[in-house]
Amino acid sequence: MVQTLINAISLGSIYALVALGIGLLFGVLKVINFAHGDFITIGAFALIIPSSQAAAEMGIGLMPWPLVIAGVAAVVVLTALAAEFLVFRPLRGADSATVMIASFALGYFLQSSLLLVFGSRPKSVNLWSQLNVPVVLGGAETSLLQIIIIAATALLIAGLGFLMRYTSVGLAMRAAAENFRMARLVGVRANLVIGAAIALSGILAAAVSLLIVVQTGVLSYRMGVPLMIFGFVATVIGGMGSLLGSAVGGFAVGIVSVLAQTFLPESARPFRDAVVFSVVFLVLMLRPKGLIGGGQRGERI
Amino acid sequence: MTLAIEHLEVSYGRLAAVRDATVTVASGEIVALVGPNGAGKSTTLLAAAGALQPRGGTITLDGASLLGLSPEQRVRRDLAMVPEGREIFRTLTVAENLTVAAGAGRAKPGTAEVMDELLALFPILRERLRQPAGQLSGGEQQQLAIARALMTRPRYLLIDEPSLGLAPLVVKRVYEMLTELRRRQGLAILVVEQSMRRVLSVADKVCVMRDGRVVATFAGEDLSDRRRLEQVYFGLAD
C-alpha cells in the first residue's frame, strides 16, 4: 500500500511539474503552450552530443551533477526564451486560437529539428543510474529515485511559491495573471513578465527532462508529447489560471493513473488511460472550472 | 507642461468610437471630459494611456509624442490611469496592489515615503493593508485604485468615472481628494464623468463630448453659464 502511494505521488509529481510549467505561461498569456512537452524533449536531448548514430554519446550528461542540472536548464530556458522572441512576441495582440496554433507549429518544428539532428530511433542513455537503487521505507520497497522525484518536486513547488509570493517579479506575474491590461497600466512591463513566466516554465521543463531520463533511460524525439497531454489535462482539471490548481491537478492525474494501474483487473490494465480520462471527464462535469475553481478570466494581450 | 490630445480618432474594428477629440490638460489643471453614455470619453482616456491604438490624431506629453509607446512606457513618462470599474487586483492584498505599481514605476527610491504619504491621504487603506483587495467596499476600492495610480508618482492622472457606483458622500470625498492632490502636488487631472454637476465645482475646464467628438470646451467664466453647458451637453446647441 505504501509502495502504491509512493508510486502515485512520484508520478503525480512529474505531472504536477509539467502542469505548473503550462499553467505559469497560461497565467500571463492566457494560452496553452502546446510546445511545452517538446521543451522537455529538448532538455533530455541536451544531455548527449548531437549525432544521428544509434548509440548515444553523453555530452553535458558526463559533467558533475550540478553542471548537468545547470546545463540542461540553460538549454531549455534559452529555447523557451527564443520561442518567446520569435513566436509569441510577434503574435502579441493576436487572438488565442492563433497563438495556440503557433505553439503547435513550434512543437512540430522542435520535434522535426530533433529528428533531423538525432534521427528517429530511440536512444538509450545512462544518467545517474545509481539512483535506481531500492530503498525500504515504512516497510515498503521503493527506489531512491522516486524519493528524489518527490523531494525535487516539493523543492521546486516551494521555490516557485516563494518567488510568486515574495519577489517583485512574482508580484508582477500575479497582477498580470489577474488583469494583464491593468498591470500594464500601472507600469508592469509585459515583456518582462512574459519572459519570466516562460523562463520559469523552461526550468520546470528541464527538471522533468532530467527526472524522466533517469527514470526511463530512453530518449526519443516525441517523448514529451504524452507528458504534455497529461500535464495539459492536469492543468484543466486543476483549474485554468490557478497555479495551485495545476499542482493539485498533476497529483490527481498521477494518483488516479497509478491506482487504475494497481487495482484494475489485469485484462483491463491496457485501458488505464481511458479510466484516467473518464475520471477527468467526470471531474469536469461536476466542477467545470476545475478542482481549484480559480479560473480567473483576464484580458488577452 | 501639457498633455495634449489632438484630433484623436479611435475605432473598434469598423465602429468609430472617437472621431475627433481635442483635449489639453496643463500642469496643475483639472479638466473634465463629460458627455452622455457612448460619447467616446473612456475610449479617449484609454487611448491616451496606451491601452488602445488610435487611428488618427496626436497625443503628446510636454511636446513629445506618446504614440507607439506601450502603456508601461507611458507610466514611466509620468502618466497614470484609474480605469472605469477600478480594476483593482482583487486577489492581491491592498499592500500588494500598491507595491506592484511602485515596483513598476520609474522612481524606486522613496517608495516607502510615497506609500506613507498616500496612506495618510487614504487612512482606510492603512487599516486594510493585509486584506485581499477584493474584500474592500466600492468606495475603498476606488480609493485603492487612485492610490495605486499615484504610487507611480504621475504628473498626469487620467481617471474614468470615479463616482460610478459610489454613495454621494463617498463621491464627495473622492473629489475632495483629487482637489487636494492637485493643490499639494500640482497633479494634472483629466477626469471623465457622465454627470456634469459633479465636476463643475472642481474643474478648471470642461470638455463636452458627443458622438465621438469634443463639441465644446468651457473654461473660466463660461463655466458659470450652466444653461448653455446643459444645452451643449444635450445637443441642443453647439
Side-chain angles (χ1 to χ4, degrees):
Chain A
M1 191 59 211
V2 177
Q3 195 174 346
T4 307
L5 192 71
I6 293 174
N7 286 344
I9 297 176
S10 137
L11 183 64
S13 296
I14 300 272
Y15 291 156
L17 290 179
V18 181
L20 277 170
I22 298 167
L24 261 172
L25 201 59
F26 180 84
V28 291
L29 274 185
K30 301 289 176 262
V31 162
I32 295 288
N33 171 23
F34 281 95
H36 187 76
D38 304 296
F39 288 172
I40 295 170
T41 314
I42 294 275
F45 275 90
L47 291 163
I48 63 171
I49 293 168
S51 144
S52 56
Q53 301 289 315
E57 201 182 324
M58 280 292 198
I60 292 178
L62 281 179
M63 296 178 174
W65 68 267
L67 291 182
V68 174
I69 294 174
V72 169
V75 169
V76 182
V77 168
L78 287 177
T79 307
L81 287 175
E84 147 65 3
F85 274 109
L86 301 172
V87 181
F88 297 118
R89 191 170 293 187
L91 290 175
R92 292 272 205 283
D95 65 48
S96 309
T98 310
V99 184
M100 192 182 76
I101 289 166
S103 84
F104 266 114
L106 171 66
Y108 279 112
F109 171 78
L110 293 176
Q111 284 175 30
S112 306
S113 305
L114 288 169
L115 187 63
L116 204 67
V117 177
F118 293 95
S120 63
R121 272 186 294 181
K123 296 169 191 285
S124 81
V125 289
N126 186 354
L127 180 73
W128 304 336
S129 52
Q130 63 276 23
L131 297 181
N132 273 313
V133 291
V135 289
V136 177
L137 196 80
E141 194 174 285
T142 177
S143 76
L144 180 60
L145 177 63
Q146 288 197 310
I147 310 285
I148 287 177
I149 289 176
I150 295 169
T153 304
L155 211 64
L156 283 164
I157 291 179
L160 187 64
F162 180 86
L163 189 129
M164 296 301 282
R165 183 93 180 75
Y166 296 109
T167 66
S168 60
V169 74
L171 179 60
M173 282 168 69
R174 282 190 290 142
E178 187 177 327
N179 184 340
F180 208 108
R181 188 184 77 171
M182 193 58 233
R184 298 186 78 183
L185 284 173
V186 295
V188 169
R189 291 187 185 95
N191 290 339
L192 176 82
V193 165
I194 293 171
I198 202 161
L200 283 171
S201 87
I203 289 174
L204 295 175
V208 176
S209 312
L210 287 168
L211 296 173
I212 285 290
V213 171
V214 180
Q215 193 169 43
T216 64
V218 180
L219 304 182
S220 129
Y221 76 102
R222 285 176 60 82
M223 63 190 281
V225 175
L227 286 167
M228 169 66 210
I229 292 171
F230 281 102
F232 170 53
V233 164
T235 315
V236 174
I237 66 160
M240 306 280 283
S242 153
L243 285 183
L244 177 66
S246 295
V248 170
F251 282 109
V253 170
I255 288 167
V256 171
S257 187
V258 169
L259 291 182
Q261 176 75 21
T262 312
F263 295 109
L264 280 179
E266 191 125 0
S267 57
R269 280 185 195 166
F271 302 106
R272 181 194 66 180
D273 290 350
V275 173
V276 175
F277 287 115
S278 307
V279 173
V280 168
F281 185 62
L282 206 66
V283 168
L284 288 181
M285 274 182 61
L286 296 173
R287 291 187 65 91
K289 283 192 165 177
L291 294 169
I292 311 288
Q296 307 145 339
R297 293 196 55 79
E299 288 290 322
R300 280 260 314 114
I301 45 147
Chain B
M1 303 288 257
T2 309
L3 168 68
I5 300 166
E6 288 172 307
H7 305 296
L8 186 75
E9 292 172 46
V10 190
S11 302
Y12 295 106
R14 283 183 176 177
L15 182 78
V18 176
R19 297 157 197 273
D20 183 8
T22 297
V23 182
T24 57
V25 192
S27 184
E29 216 176 29
I30 296 185
V31 177
L33 190 57
V34 299
N37 216 354
K41 308 180 297 291
S42 299
T43 305
T44 303
L45 238 51
L46 286 169
L52 290 173
Q53 292 306 316
R55 219 180 51 180
T58 59
I59 303 170
T60 58
L61 194 69
D62 303 339
S65 175
L66 294 181
L67 295 180
L69 296 187
S70 66
E72 56 265 37
Q73 285 170 323
R74 295 183 200 207
V75 171
R76 280 167 192 80
R77 302 274 174 100
D78 304 331
L79 188 71
M81 174 156 182
V82 181
E84 185 186 341
R86 289 139 354 219
E87 300 197 28
I88 52 155
F89 303 113
R90 305 177 65 83
T91 56
L92 270 52
T93 64
V94 169
E96 286 173 337
N97 265 275
L98 297 173
T99 316
V100 76
R106 78 196 159 106
K108 269 201 166 172
T111 296
E113 288 78 16
V114 178
M115 175 126 46
D116 253 3
E117 222 174 88
L118 286 171
L119 292 177
L121 195 62
F122 304 96
I124 190 71
L125 297 181
R126 192 188 290 279
E127 291 168 30
R128 305 259 192 274
L129 274 179
R130 304 282 150 222
Q131 276 183 23
Q135 288 178 3
L136 301 185
S137 71
E140 290 163 358
Q141 289 188 8
Q142 184 67 67
Q143 294 183 42
L144 175 59
I146 296 173
R148 181 183 59 180
L150 294 175
M151 281 301 286
T152 65
R153 300 196 199 182
R155 288 180 296 129
Y156 296 88
L157 182 68
L158 311 173
I159 176 161
D160 197 352
E161 302 227 26
S163 60
L164 198 72
L166 300 184
L169 266 178
V170 183
V171 174
K172 190 165 169 274
R173 171 96 184 101
V174 167
Y175 273 100
E176 279 167 7
M177 279 171 190
L178 292 179
T179 331
E180 171 77 5
L181 285 165
R182 182 257 298 266
R183 191 183 60 76
R184 268 209 226 170
Q185 308 179 357
L187 187 68
I189 300 170
L190 176 57
V191 57
V192 157
E193 276 291 359
Q194 262 196 61
S195 149
M196 193 148 49
R197 195 177 308 159
R198 271 191 200 114
V199 293
L200 275 178
S201 56
V202 295
D204 302 301
K205 204 158 78 180
V206 173
C207 302
V208 182
M209 205 166 176
R210 229 175 40 225
D211 296 331
R213 291 188 168 84
V214 172
V215 291
T217 299
F218 296 84
E221 287 188 359
D222 292 347
L223 279 175
S224 48
D225 189 352
R226 299 272 171 114
R227 203 178 129 72
R228 184 162 160 68
L229 263 166
E230 274 167 20
Q231 281 181 333
V232 172
Y233 184 98
F234 291 110
L236 303 170
D238 286 327

